[in-house]
DNA sequence: TAATGTACATACTAAAAGGTAACTATATAA
DNA sequence: TTATATAGTTACCTTTTAGTATGTACATTA
């Protein structure tokens, strides 16, 4: 057993999905199933290469995302959700739905026009 | 309409519940319905007065928590969830449930022994 | 007169997270 | 020989977040 610094399980979950870009990355992976580094950069124009790699590595270490390297030149690397990552889908969807309602109520504009599902 | 810095509604939701102590505070408010400053300090021995006030003020500003001041000496102030705050309950519960399963799978120990509901 | 209880505020410091810019590797194509 | 495409890495800096320690207000009680 590993001792954790968390006061409750909520904090654990938050730690895993709480990075600046993790929600968006997970959301795209849920939509597209498989994505390469460059595709993600194109899908998220404001993310930097460093942040993308960093967040992906963390999620890989936490077992949310898998990384498959093809031994080619130029390199090819594929990312997809693990089953733990996939099991976050209902939470992501609920958080999006809640955000949509809240934004409507508070008259907040969000840049993204994407539809879920 | 207010323009926001968010890429998607997930980030909006995350911003509102993502502070270091917000989950725990919300969780206690969901359990107890009404809490005073001192009660919260006792329920969360590791939070500091500064962080408690700060997180409560943010949640108040975001319309998740209401603050009622009784004009007495010594002062009396009551906190409770607004309807927006209350509507976060299913998300909190799902995040806790997910964390419990994940922690079991990964053999991670969490300090809290509290039961939800 | 001094201590008590309650709910803060404020200045300062430390740590974590995020961002910028430049660099790396290598087979293939022009 | 030079440019291209892909998927990174690294050093450095800035911003944000969190934590520590101390101070404030004031009616009531001892």
């Amino acid at each position: 057993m590993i001792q954790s610094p968390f006061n409750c399980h909520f904090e654990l979950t938050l730690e895993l999905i709480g990075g600046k870009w993790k929600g968006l990355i997970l959301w795209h992976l849920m939509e597209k199933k498989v994505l390469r580094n460059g595709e993600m950069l194109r899908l998220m124009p404001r993310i930097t290469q460093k942040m993308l790699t960093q967040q992906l590595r963390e999620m890989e270490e936490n077992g949310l995302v898998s990384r498959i390297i093809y031994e080619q030149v130029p390199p090819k690397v594929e990312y997809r959700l693990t089953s733990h990552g996939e099991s976050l889908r209902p939470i992501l969807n609920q958080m999006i739905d809640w955000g949509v309602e809240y934004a409507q109520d508070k008259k907040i504009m969000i840049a993204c026009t994407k539809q879920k599902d």
Side-chain angles (χ1 to χ4, degrees), chain A:
Chain A
M1 275 291 183
I2 301 153
Q3 249 305 343
S4 77
F6 304 115
N7 295 308
C8 70
H9 290 93
F10 173 84
E11 288 175 26
L12 169 64
T13 304
L14 191 60
E15 166 94 355
L16 301 191
I17 65 174
K20 174 78 183 289
W21 297 98
K22 283 180 183 168
L24 205 53
I25 295 171
L26 288 170
W27 189 86
H28 283 298
L29 281 171
M30 285 175 188
E31 267 230 316
K32 311 277 184 177
K33 311 289 183 197
V34 188
L35 283 171
R36 298 177 60 183
N37 181 78
E39 293 179 294
M40 291 199 242
L41 288 176
R42 265 169 258 125
L43 286 167
M44 298 172 274
R46 312 219 273 187
I47 201 173
T48 60
Q49 177 65 66
K50 184 201 145 193
M51 286 308 294
L52 179 59
T53 305
Q54 186 178 301
Q55 306 281 296
L56 282 169
R57 289 295 179 286
E58 285 177 24
M59 290 197 284
E60 196 194 346
E61 198 162 328
N62 294 328
L64 304 183
V65 164
S66 73
R67 178 163 172 258
I68 297 166
I69 303 161
Y70 296 86
E71 293 295 347
Q72 302 178 357
V73 172
K76 176 177 174 183
V77 177
E78 281 181 355
Y79 294 94
R80 60 193 82 207
L81 295 173
T82 63
S83 58
H84 273 308
E86 185 56 45
S87 71
L88 286 166
R89 188 188 288 267
I91 292 176
L92 268 268
N93 279 336
Q94 264 203 290
M95 288 179 72
I96 292 168
D97 290 350
W98 189 93
V100 169
E101 277 213 30
Y102 181 89
Q104 264 170 16
D105 192 73
K106 300 281 179 181
K107 313 235 184 292
I108 297 167
M109 271 287 290
I110 307 282
C112 98
T113 53
K114 291 153 203 148
Q115 305 301 313
K116 65 183 187 69
D117 292 344

